[in-house]
Structures are given as structure tokens and as C-alpha cells.
Amino acid sequence: MSDSFTLRYANKADAAAITRLELWSAQHEARVYPLPPYPELCAIWRNRLEQQTHVVILAQTDAELIGFAAIARPVKKGFLLALYIAPHFFRRGVGSTLLQYAERLVRAEGGRQLFLEVEERNLRAQAFYRAQQYLPQAQYVDGHLIPYRKRW
């Protein structure tokens, strides 16, 4: 199986595919609180894309969407809202490619850091971000999201 994939920017027609991938991948997050059901989450993504409140980068093969990253606008502030990868593409370079692309976008806008939040029980994601030189910050008061940051 080839691991070749391409990146492109999402548009509102991608909302359904983004939603399906997030719901599928989130099953591996050990979430404290579940995501909204498909219709509600799809409406959220459609709104984000229509209102252009986020820059969403998609990773896809010829056959399927295999990952996406979403950065809140203004990009310069450097908040990564989401990074989701299809489970059968975990540990195959998709996440690191999307994360590096997001970092380049923030830098190009004059940003000096990328900030994100990880579920405290999502040990796989925490290890991934640490391997990418992200450092955990103080844990949130609600106790289920750990902020991570990388400065440059």
C-alpha cells in the first residue's frame, strides 16, 4: 500500500467528509466528553468553512480523505483547533506533514508559536506532540484538556 498523499485546502463541500473522519478518528482519543452527533458536528464544520473562521488543510489519497488540520483565524495567533488522521494511517507521516504545514502557515503570517489542546487520556497524541517538540503547559482547570505549545 502506497503512503503517497496530497494536501489541499478544504471548502464547504468537504464538511461531511471532515465530520466523518473526525468522528472515526476520535474513537481513538479516550475522550472525556463525546463529540456532538454527526448532523450537529457537520453543521459546525460547514459553518466554519462557509464563514472562513478556520483554515482547514486536507490530506488525501486518490481514494479518500486521510487527515486534516484546522487552524483558527487569525492564523498569526497560532491556535490549532483540530488534527485528525484516519486510524489506518496512524504513524505513517500524515500527522507530522499536516502539523509542519500548519506551522509554516503560522510563521508566514508572522506568528511565533502554535498552540493546541489534547485530551488528558489521549496518550498517543501527547507522545506525538512531544516528538514534534511541543511542550505541555499547565493543565486546564476542568482537567481534561492539556495545552501544548511550540515556539520558534
Side-chain angles (χ1 to χ4, degrees):
M1 174 189 228
S2 171
D3 284 348
S4 86
F5 57 91
T6 58
L7 301 180
R8 71 172 177 86
Y9 291 105
N11 59 57
K12 65 183 177 182
D14 296 307
I18 289 168
T19 304
R20 284 191 300 273
L21 179 57
E22 182 173 4
L23 288 169
W24 181 26
S25 182
Q27 294 174 24
H28 299 268
E29 285 186 318
R31 294 183 69 88
V32 172
Y33 302 108
L35 288 169
Y38 176 86
E40 185 180 336
L41 188 58
C42 192
I44 290 168
W45 278 111
R46 191 174 306 108
N47 184 60
R48 287 173 177 158
L49 294 166
E50 286 174 355
Q51 301 299 315
Q52 298 182 4
T53 59
H54 295 76
V55 175
V56 182
I57 306 112
L58 306 180
Q60 59 187 80
T61 65
D62 290 339
E64 65 182 319
L65 176 64
I66 60 169
F68 74 91
I71 306 166
R73 290 187 193 266
V75 172
K76 180 179 180 174
K77 289 193 174 197
F79 179 65
L80 184 71
L81 172 74
L83 178 65
Y84 284 97
I85 309 303
H88 61 290
F89 273 86
F90 286 172
R91 302 192 57 81
R92 292 171 63 181
V94 179
S96 58
T97 298
L98 284 166
L99 189 60
Q100 290 165 12
Y101 193 91
E103 290 173 3
R104 285 194 301 273
L105 287 178
V106 173
R107 279 190 188 112
E109 293 290 320
R112 298 175 158 227
Q113 67 180 3
L114 192 59
F115 174 82
L116 55 97
E117 299 165 328
V118 179
E119 291 279 341
E120 74 173 341
R121 298 187 306 184
N122 190 346
L123 302 180
R124 180 187 48 78
Q126 291 177 44
F128 167 76
Y129 289 116
R130 282 192 307 275
Q132 303 293 318
Q133 276 72 66
Y134 282 76
L135 299 174
Q137 308 300 299
Q139 192 162 345
Y140 276 9
V141 176
D142 66 12
H144 82 97
L145 294 174
I146 300 171
Y148 277 74
R149 178 181 319 184
K150 181 177 183 179
R151 293 184 176 160
W152 45 82

mmCIF file of all heavy atoms in Angstrom, residues 105-144:
data_model
loop_
_atom_site.group_PDB
_atom_site.id
_atom_site.type_symbol
_atom_site.label_atom_id
_atom_site.label_comp_id
_atom_site.label_asym_id
_atom_site.label_seq_id
_atom_site.Cartn_x
_atom_site.Cartn_y
_atom_site.Cartn_z
ATOM 1 N N LEU A 105 2.320 27.847 7.878
ATOM 2 C CA LEU A 105 1.285 28.860 7.663
ATOM 3 C C LEU A 105 1.322 29.928 8.753
ATOM 4 O O LEU A 105 1.215 31.120 8.467
ATOM 5 C CB LEU A 105 -0.104 28.219 7.626
ATOM 6 C CG LEU A 105 -0.474 27.415 6.401
ATOM 7 C CD1 LEU A 105 -1.862 26.814 6.563
ATOM 8 C CD2 LEU A 105 -0.432 28.286 5.162
ATOM 9 N N VAL A 106 1.453 29.496 9.996
ATOM 10 C CA VAL A 106 1.501 30.441 11.110
ATOM 11 C C VAL A 106 2.743 31.330 10.991
ATOM 12 O O VAL A 106 2.653 32.558 11.140
ATOM 13 C CB VAL A 106 1.462 29.697 12.470
ATOM 14 C CG1 VAL A 106 1.687 30.659 13.627
ATOM 15 C CG2 VAL A 106 0.128 28.971 12.635
ATOM 16 N N ARG A 107 3.875 30.723 10.698
ATOM 17 C CA ARG A 107 5.112 31.511 10.531
ATOM 18 C C ARG A 107 4.973 32.531 9.407
ATOM 19 O O ARG A 107 5.424 33.672 9.540
ATOM 20 C CB ARG A 107 6.287 30.584 10.217
ATOM 21 C CG ARG A 107 6.877 29.918 11.401
ATOM 22 C CD ARG A 107 8.187 29.220 10.996
ATOM 23 N NE ARG A 107 8.651 28.419 12.079
ATOM 24 C CZ ARG A 107 8.703 27.082 12.079
ATOM 25 N NH1 ARG A 107 8.315 26.404 11.033
ATOM 26 N NH2 ARG A 107 9.146 26.435 13.133
ATOM 27 N N ALA A 108 4.368 32.110 8.299
ATOM 28 C CA ALA A 108 4.208 33.004 7.144
ATOM 29 C C ALA A 108 3.358 34.225 7.488
ATOM 30 O O ALA A 108 3.512 35.284 6.880
ATOM 31 C CB ALA A 108 3.596 32.245 5.963
ATOM 32 N N GLU A 109 2.471 34.080 8.474
ATOM 33 C CA GLU A 109 1.624 35.194 8.916
ATOM 34 C C GLU A 109 2.283 36.013 10.026
ATOM 35 O O GLU A 109 1.674 36.938 10.554
ATOM 36 C CB GLU A 109 0.275 34.658 9.406
ATOM 37 C CG GLU A 109 -0.586 34.053 8.319
ATOM 38 C CD GLU A 109 -1.118 35.097 7.346
ATOM 39 O OE1 GLU A 109 -1.495 36.196 7.794
ATOM 40 O OE2 GLU A 109 -1.154 34.794 6.142
ATOM 41 N N GLY A 110 3.499 35.627 10.412
ATOM 42 C CA GLY A 110 4.211 36.361 11.456
ATOM 43 C C GLY A 110 4.010 35.808 12.853
ATOM 44 O O GLY A 110 4.452 36.415 13.833
ATOM 45 N N GLY A 111 3.358 34.654 12.955
ATOM 46 C CA GLY A 111 3.147 34.041 14.260
ATOM 47 C C GLY A 111 4.430 33.466 14.821
ATOM 48 O O GLY A 111 5.335 33.090 14.078
ATOM 49 N N ARG A 112 4.492 33.389 16.144
ATOM 50 C CA ARG A 112 5.698 32.915 16.822
ATOM 51 C C ARG A 112 5.500 31.603 17.564
ATOM 52 O O ARG A 112 6.401 31.144 18.269
ATOM 53 C CB ARG A 112 6.164 33.978 17.809
ATOM 54 C CG ARG A 112 6.538 35.254 17.139
ATOM 55 C CD ARG A 112 6.866 36.315 18.147
ATOM 56 N NE ARG A 112 7.685 37.308 17.510
ATOM 57 C CZ ARG A 112 8.792 37.792 18.029
ATOM 58 N NH1 ARG A 112 9.199 37.410 19.208
ATOM 59 N NH2 ARG A 112 9.471 38.699 17.388
ATOM 60 N N GLN A 113 4.297 31.016 17.466
ATOM 61 C CA GLN A 113 4.048 29.761 18.175
ATOM 62 C C GLN A 113 2.831 29.070 17.581
ATOM 63 O O GLN A 113 2.024 29.693 16.896
ATOM 64 C CB GLN A 113 3.797 30.031 19.652
ATOM 65 C CG GLN A 113 2.505 30.776 19.907
ATOM 66 C CD GLN A 113 2.266 31.039 21.381
ATOM 67 O OE1 GLN A 113 3.081 30.720 22.234
ATOM 68 N NE2 GLN A 113 1.125 31.629 21.699
ATOM 69 N N LEU A 114 2.715 27.787 17.874
ATOM 70 C CA LEU A 114 1.495 27.045 17.588
ATOM 71 C C LEU A 114 1.049 26.427 18.905
ATOM 72 O O LEU A 114 1.840 25.813 19.631
ATOM 73 C CB LEU A 114 1.721 25.967 16.531
ATOM 74 C CG LEU A 114 0.464 25.325 15.962
ATOM 75 C CD1 LEU A 114 -0.456 26.355 15.317
ATOM 76 C CD2 LEU A 114 0.819 24.252 14.933
ATOM 77 N N PHE A 115 -0.203 26.638 19.229
ATOM 78 C CA PHE A 115 -0.806 26.212 20.485
ATOM 79 C C PHE A 115 -1.927 25.235 20.150
ATOM 80 O O PHE A 115 -2.637 25.402 19.159
ATOM 81 C CB PHE A 115 -1.351 27.459 21.198
ATOM 82 C CG PHE A 115 -2.122 27.169 22.451
ATOM 83 C CD1 PHE A 115 -1.468 26.935 23.644
ATOM 84 C CD2 PHE A 115 -3.508 27.156 22.435
ATOM 85 C CE1 PHE A 115 -2.185 26.669 24.804
ATOM 86 C CE2 PHE A 115 -4.236 26.904 23.586
ATOM 87 C CZ PHE A 115 -3.566 26.661 24.767
ATOM 88 N N LEU A 116 -2.111 24.215 20.977
ATOM 89 C CA LEU A 116 -3.171 23.231 20.772
ATOM 90 C C LEU A 116 -3.549 22.618 22.105
ATOM 91 O O LEU A 116 -2.884 22.855 23.111
ATOM 92 C CB LEU A 116 -2.710 22.150 19.787
ATOM 93 C CG LEU A 116 -1.408 21.433 20.133
ATOM 94 C CD1 LEU A 116 -1.677 20.118 20.824
ATOM 95 C CD2 LEU A 116 -0.583 21.246 18.891
ATOM 96 N N GLU A 117 -4.610 21.844 22.105
ATOM 97 C CA GLU A 117 -5.071 21.164 23.323
ATOM 98 C C GLU A 117 -5.283 19.684 23.017
ATOM 99 O O GLU A 117 -5.764 19.332 21.949
ATOM 100 C CB GLU A 117 -6.378 21.774 23.808
ATOM 101 C CG GLU A 117 -6.250 23.233 24.155
ATOM 102 C CD GLU A 117 -7.577 23.947 24.301
ATOM 103 O OE1 GLU A 117 -8.549 23.583 23.611
ATOM 104 O OE2 GLU A 117 -7.628 24.877 25.112
ATOM 105 N N VAL A 118 -4.914 18.853 23.998
ATOM 106 C CA VAL A 118 -5.007 17.402 23.839
ATOM 107 C C VAL A 118 -5.785 16.829 25.019
ATOM 108 O O VAL A 118 -5.583 17.228 26.169
ATOM 109 C CB VAL A 118 -3.601 16.760 23.794
ATOM 110 C CG1 VAL A 118 -3.702 15.248 23.644
ATOM 111 C CG2 VAL A 118 -2.766 17.346 22.682
ATOM 112 N N GLU A 119 -6.653 15.890 24.739
ATOM 113 C CA GLU A 119 -7.360 15.176 25.800
ATOM 114 C C GLU A 119 -6.329 14.537 26.741
ATOM 115 O O GLU A 119 -5.362 13.923 26.287
ATOM 116 C CB GLU A 119 -8.241 14.067 25.220
ATOM 117 C CG GLU A 119 -9.431 14.553 24.428
ATOM 118 C CD GLU A 119 -10.597 14.957 25.304
ATOM 119 O OE1 GLU A 119 -10.650 14.540 26.481
ATOM 120 O OE2 GLU A 119 -11.479 15.679 24.795
ATOM 121 N N GLU A 120 -6.541 14.686 28.055
ATOM 122 C CA GLU A 120 -5.551 14.184 29.013
ATOM 123 C C GLU A 120 -5.361 12.669 28.936
ATOM 124 O O GLU A 120 -4.295 12.157 29.259
ATOM 125 C CB GLU A 120 -5.903 14.601 30.437
ATOM 126 C CG GLU A 120 -7.053 13.842 31.041
ATOM 127 C CD GLU A 120 -7.240 14.174 32.514
ATOM 128 O OE1 GLU A 120 -6.308 14.679 33.139
ATOM 129 O OE2 GLU A 120 -8.333 13.919 33.016
ATOM 130 N N ARG A 121 -6.363 11.942 28.491
ATOM 131 C CA ARG A 121 -6.236 10.482 28.403
ATOM 132 C C ARG A 121 -5.738 10.020 27.034
ATOM 133 O O ARG A 121 -5.554 8.833 26.820
ATOM 134 C CB ARG A 121 -7.580 9.829 28.728
ATOM 135 C CG ARG A 121 -8.041 10.143 30.146
ATOM 136 C CD ARG A 121 -9.265 9.391 30.562
ATOM 137 N NE ARG A 121 -10.373 9.550 29.635
ATOM 138 C CZ ARG A 121 -11.586 9.047 29.812
ATOM 139 N NH1 ARG A 121 -11.848 8.332 30.887
ATOM 140 N NH2 ARG A 121 -12.544 9.248 28.932
ATOM 141 N N ASN A 122 -5.506 10.967 26.123
ATOM 142 C CA ASN A 122 -5.041 10.622 24.779
ATOM 143 C C ASN A 122 -3.511 10.577 24.777
ATOM 144 O O ASN A 122 -2.836 11.495 24.300
ATOM 145 C CB ASN A 122 -5.570 11.634 23.755
ATOM 146 C CG ASN A 122 -5.317 11.195 22.330
ATOM 147 O OD1 ASN A 122 -4.540 10.280 22.079
ATOM 148 N ND2 ASN A 122 -5.965 11.865 21.395
ATOM 149 N N LEU A 123 -2.978 9.510 25.315
ATOM 150 C CA LEU A 123 -1.532 9.365 25.478
ATOM 151 C C LEU A 123 -0.807 9.264 24.137
ATOM 152 O O LEU A 123 0.327 9.726 23.997
ATOM 153 C CB LEU A 123 -1.214 8.163 26.358
ATOM 154 C CG LEU A 123 -1.838 8.203 27.761
ATOM 155 C CD1 LEU A 123 -1.466 6.957 28.549
ATOM 156 C CD2 LEU A 123 -1.453 9.474 28.503
ATOM 157 N N ARG A 124 -1.444 8.660 23.146
ATOM 158 C CA ARG A 124 -0.845 8.556 21.813
ATOM 159 C C ARG A 124 -0.603 9.937 21.226
ATOM 160 O O ARG A 124 0.482 10.237 20.736
ATOM 161 C CB ARG A 124 -1.748 7.728 20.889
ATOM 162 C CG ARG A 124 -1.215 7.547 19.474
ATOM 163 C CD ARG A 124 -2.228 6.877 18.559
ATOM 164 N NE ARG A 124 -3.544 7.472 18.640
ATOM 165 C CZ ARG A 124 -3.895 8.624 18.041
ATOM 166 N NH1 ARG A 124 -3.037 9.286 17.317
ATOM 167 N NH2 ARG A 124 -5.119 9.099 18.159
ATOM 168 N N ALA A 125 -1.597 10.819 21.296
ATOM 169 C CA ALA A 125 -1.441 12.174 20.765
ATOM 170 C C ALA A 125 -0.413 12.964 21.564
ATOM 171 O O ALA A 125 0.390 13.717 20.994
ATOM 172 C CB ALA A 125 -2.783 12.896 20.764
ATOM 173 N N GLN A 126 -0.405 12.793 22.880
ATOM 174 C CA GLN A 126 0.583 13.501 23.691
ATOM 175 C C GLN A 126 2.006 13.100 23.294
ATOM 176 O O GLN A 126 2.891 13.957 23.174
ATOM 177 C CB GLN A 126 0.335 13.237 25.168
ATOM 178 C CG GLN A 126 -0.936 13.887 25.677
ATOM 179 C CD GLN A 126 -1.205 13.549 27.119
ATOM 180 O OE1 GLN A 126 -0.299 13.577 27.941
ATOM 181 N NE2 GLN A 126 -2.454 13.229 27.429
ATOM 182 N N ALA A 127 2.221 11.820 23.079
ATOM 183 C CA ALA A 127 3.552 11.355 22.655
ATOM 184 C C ALA A 127 3.901 11.919 21.276
ATOM 185 O O ALA A 127 5.049 12.315 21.031
ATOM 186 C CB ALA A 127 3.589 9.829 22.642
ATOM 187 N N PHE A 128 2.921 11.975 20.387
ATOM 188 C CA PHE A 128 3.134 12.541 19.052
ATOM 189 C C PHE A 128 3.581 13.995 19.154
ATOM 190 O O PHE A 128 4.584 14.388 18.552
ATOM 191 C CB PHE A 128 1.847 12.425 18.219
ATOM 192 C CG PHE A 128 1.874 13.244 16.965
ATOM 193 C CD1 PHE A 128 2.602 12.830 15.857
ATOM 194 C CD2 PHE A 128 1.171 14.438 16.887
ATOM 195 C CE1 PHE A 128 2.634 13.594 14.696
ATOM 196 C CE2 PHE A 128 1.190 15.207 15.731
ATOM 197 C CZ PHE A 128 1.931 14.781 14.635
ATOM 198 N N TYR A 129 2.876 14.802 19.919
ATOM 199 C CA TYR A 129 3.220 16.225 20.008
ATOM 200 C C TYR A 129 4.572 16.438 20.696
ATOM 201 O O TYR A 129 5.357 17.293 20.272
ATOM 202 C CB TYR A 129 2.116 17.021 20.701
ATOM 203 C CG TYR A 129 0.898 17.142 19.820
ATOM 204 C CD1 TYR A 129 -0.314 16.567 20.188
ATOM 205 C CD2 TYR A 129 0.961 17.810 18.604
ATOM 206 C CE1 TYR A 129 -1.426 16.662 19.365
ATOM 207 C CE2 TYR A 129 -0.152 17.911 17.774
ATOM 208 C CZ TYR A 129 -1.342 17.333 18.165
ATOM 209 O OH TYR A 129 -2.432 17.424 17.343
ATOM 210 N N ARG A 130 4.864 15.659 21.713
ATOM 211 C CA ARG A 130 6.180 15.770 22.351
ATOM 212 C C ARG A 130 7.293 15.430 21.351
ATOM 213 O O ARG A 130 8.329 16.092 21.318
ATOM 214 C CB ARG A 130 6.268 14.887 23.591
ATOM 215 C CG ARG A 130 5.557 15.488 24.802
ATOM 216 C CD ARG A 130 5.885 14.765 26.095
ATOM 217 N NE ARG A 130 5.670 13.330 26.039
ATOM 218 C CZ ARG A 130 4.493 12.725 26.257
ATOM 219 N NH1 ARG A 130 3.435 13.439 26.577
ATOM 220 N NH2 ARG A 130 4.388 11.414 26.184
ATOM 221 N N ALA A 131 7.068 14.419 20.520
ATOM 222 C CA ALA A 131 8.054 14.056 19.498
ATOM 223 C C ALA A 131 8.243 15.163 18.466
ATOM 224 O O ALA A 131 9.300 15.254 17.840
ATOM 225 C CB ALA A 131 7.637 12.752 18.810
ATOM 226 N N GLN A 132 7.241 16.013 18.323
ATOM 227 C CA GLN A 132 7.314 17.142 17.394
ATOM 228 C C GLN A 132 7.807 18.418 18.093
ATOM 229 O O GLN A 132 7.660 19.514 17.578
ATOM 230 C CB GLN A 132 5.941 17.398 16.764
ATOM 231 C CG GLN A 132 5.342 16.209 16.038
ATOM 232 C CD GLN A 132 6.122 15.826 14.802
ATOM 233 O OE1 GLN A 132 6.555 16.679 14.051
ATOM 234 N NE2 GLN A 132 6.313 14.536 14.588
ATOM 235 N N GLN A 133 8.348 18.277 19.295
ATOM 236 C CA GLN A 133 8.909 19.371 20.102
ATOM 237 C C GLN A 133 7.857 20.316 20.684
ATOM 238 O O GLN A 133 8.136 21.492 20.957
ATOM 239 C CB GLN A 133 9.943 20.185 19.318
ATOM 240 C CG GLN A 133 11.331 19.567 19.334
ATOM 241 C CD GLN A 133 11.436 18.320 18.482
ATOM 242 O OE1 GLN A 133 11.310 18.388 17.287
ATOM 243 N NE2 GLN A 133 11.660 17.185 19.115
ATOM 244 N N TYR A 134 6.662 19.825 20.914
ATOM 245 C CA TYR A 134 5.634 20.600 21.620
ATOM 246 C C TYR A 134 5.780 20.306 23.103
ATOM 247 O O TYR A 134 6.028 19.166 23.492
ATOM 248 C CB TYR A 134 4.231 20.239 21.131
ATOM 249 C CG TYR A 134 3.931 20.889 19.806
ATOM 250 C CD1 TYR A 134 4.483 20.398 18.633
ATOM 251 C CD2 TYR A 134 3.129 22.016 19.739
ATOM 252 C CE1 TYR A 134 4.259 21.013 17.421
ATOM 253 C CE2 TYR A 134 2.887 22.637 18.528
ATOM 254 C CZ TYR A 134 3.459 22.129 17.379
ATOM 255 O OH TYR A 134 3.233 22.761 16.186
ATOM 256 N N LEU A 135 5.628 21.345 23.909
ATOM 257 C CA LEU A 135 5.771 21.194 25.349
ATOM 258 C C LEU A 135 4.421 21.367 26.030
ATOM 259 O O LEU A 135 3.680 22.309 25.718
ATOM 260 C CB LEU A 135 6.749 22.234 25.892
ATOM 261 C CG LEU A 135 8.169 22.147 25.340
ATOM 262 C CD1 LEU A 135 9.003 23.314 25.838
ATOM 263 C CD2 LEU A 135 8.807 20.813 25.709
ATOM 264 N N PRO A 136 4.109 20.470 26.980
ATOM 265 C CA PRO A 136 2.852 20.647 27.721
ATOM 266 C C PRO A 136 2.941 21.884 28.602
ATOM 267 O O PRO A 136 3.991 22.197 29.154
ATOM 268 C CB PRO A 136 2.731 19.371 28.552
ATOM 269 C CG PRO A 136 4.104 18.821 28.629
ATOM 270 C CD PRO A 136 4.857 19.306 27.427
ATOM 271 N N GLN A 137 1.822 22.570 28.724
ATOM 272 C CA GLN A 137 1.703 23.748 29.575
ATOM 273 C C GLN A 137 0.920 23.339 30.820
ATOM 274 O O GLN A 137 0.570 22.182 30.982
ATOM 275 C CB GLN A 137 0.997 24.878 28.817
ATOM 276 C CG GLN A 137 1.609 25.192 27.452
ATOM 277 C CD GLN A 137 3.057 25.621 27.506
ATOM 278 O OE1 GLN A 137 3.381 26.625 28.121
ATOM 279 N NE2 GLN A 137 3.946 24.836 26.900
ATOM 280 N N ALA A 138 0.588 24.268 31.662
ATOM 281 C CA ALA A 138 -0.209 23.964 32.853
ATOM 282 C C ALA A 138 -1.549 23.360 32.431
ATOM 283 O O ALA A 138 -2.152 23.785 31.458
ATOM 284 C CB ALA A 138 -0.436 25.232 33.670
ATOM 285 N N GLN A 139 -2.000 22.364 33.173
ATOM 286 C CA GLN A 139 -3.259 21.701 32.842
ATOM 287 C C GLN A 139 -4.444 22.627 33.123
ATOM 288 O O GLN A 139 -4.439 23.396 34.064
ATOM 289 C CB GLN A 139 -3.408 20.417 33.653
ATOM 290 C CG GLN A 139 -4.530 19.547 33.145
ATOM 291 C CD GLN A 139 -4.401 18.123 33.648
ATOM 292 O OE1 GLN A 139 -3.361 17.724 34.139
ATOM 293 N NE2 GLN A 139 -5.450 17.356 33.521
ATOM 294 N N TYR A 140 -5.444 22.542 32.297
ATOM 295 C CA TYR A 140 -6.648 23.355 32.455
ATOM 296 C C TYR A 140 -7.389 23.001 33.744
ATOM 297 O O TYR A 140 -7.320 21.887 34.224
ATOM 298 C CB TYR A 140 -7.588 23.137 31.284
ATOM 299 C CG TYR A 140 -7.269 23.973 30.067
ATOM 300 C CD1 TYR A 140 -6.108 24.726 29.966
ATOM 301 C CD2 TYR A 140 -8.152 24.012 29.012
ATOM 302 C CE1 TYR A 140 -5.827 25.481 28.852
ATOM 303 C CE2 TYR A 140 -7.885 24.763 27.889
ATOM 304 C CZ TYR A 140 -6.720 25.495 27.810
ATOM 305 O OH TYR A 140 -6.456 26.249 26.704
ATOM 306 N N VAL A 141 -8.136 23.939 34.218
ATOM 307 C CA VAL A 141 -8.896 23.754 35.451
ATOM 308 C C VAL A 141 -9.904 22.617 35.328
ATOM 309 O O VAL A 141 -10.086 21.836 36.252
ATOM 310 C CB VAL A 141 -9.611 25.068 35.840
ATOM 311 C CG1 VAL A 141 -10.493 24.861 37.067
ATOM 312 C CG2 VAL A 141 -8.593 26.166 36.092
ATOM 313 N N ASP A 142 -10.556 22.485 34.166
ATOM 314 C CA ASP A 142 -11.564 21.425 34.023
ATOM 315 C C ASP A 142 -10.930 20.041 33.982
ATOM 316 O O ASP A 142 -11.610 19.039 34.099
ATOM 317 C CB ASP A 142 -12.464 21.667 32.816
ATOM 318 C CG ASP A 142 -11.739 21.575 31.484
ATOM 319 O OD1 ASP A 142 -10.593 21.104 31.443
ATOM 320 O OD2 ASP A 142 -12.330 21.972 30.473
ATOM 321 N N GLY A 143 -9.621 19.983 33.821
ATOM 322 C CA GLY A 143 -8.885 18.736 33.992
ATOM 323 C C GLY A 143 -8.905 17.758 32.858
ATOM 324 O O GLY A 143 -8.366 16.675 32.996
ATOM 325 N N HIS A 144 -9.487 18.089 31.700
ATOM 326 C CA HIS A 144 -9.474 17.067 30.656
ATOM 327 C C HIS A 144 -8.731 17.477 29.393
ATOM 328 O O HIS A 144 -8.496 16.641 28.527
ATOM 329 C CB HIS A 144 -10.900 16.584 30.333
ATOM 330 C CG HIS A 144 -11.648 17.465 29.407
ATOM 331 N ND1 HIS A 144 -11.735 17.217 28.064
ATOM 332 C CD2 HIS A 144 -12.345 18.590 29.622
ATOM 333 C CE1 HIS A 144 -12.468 18.146 27.495
ATOM 334 N NE2 HIS A 144 -12.842 18.995 28.418
#
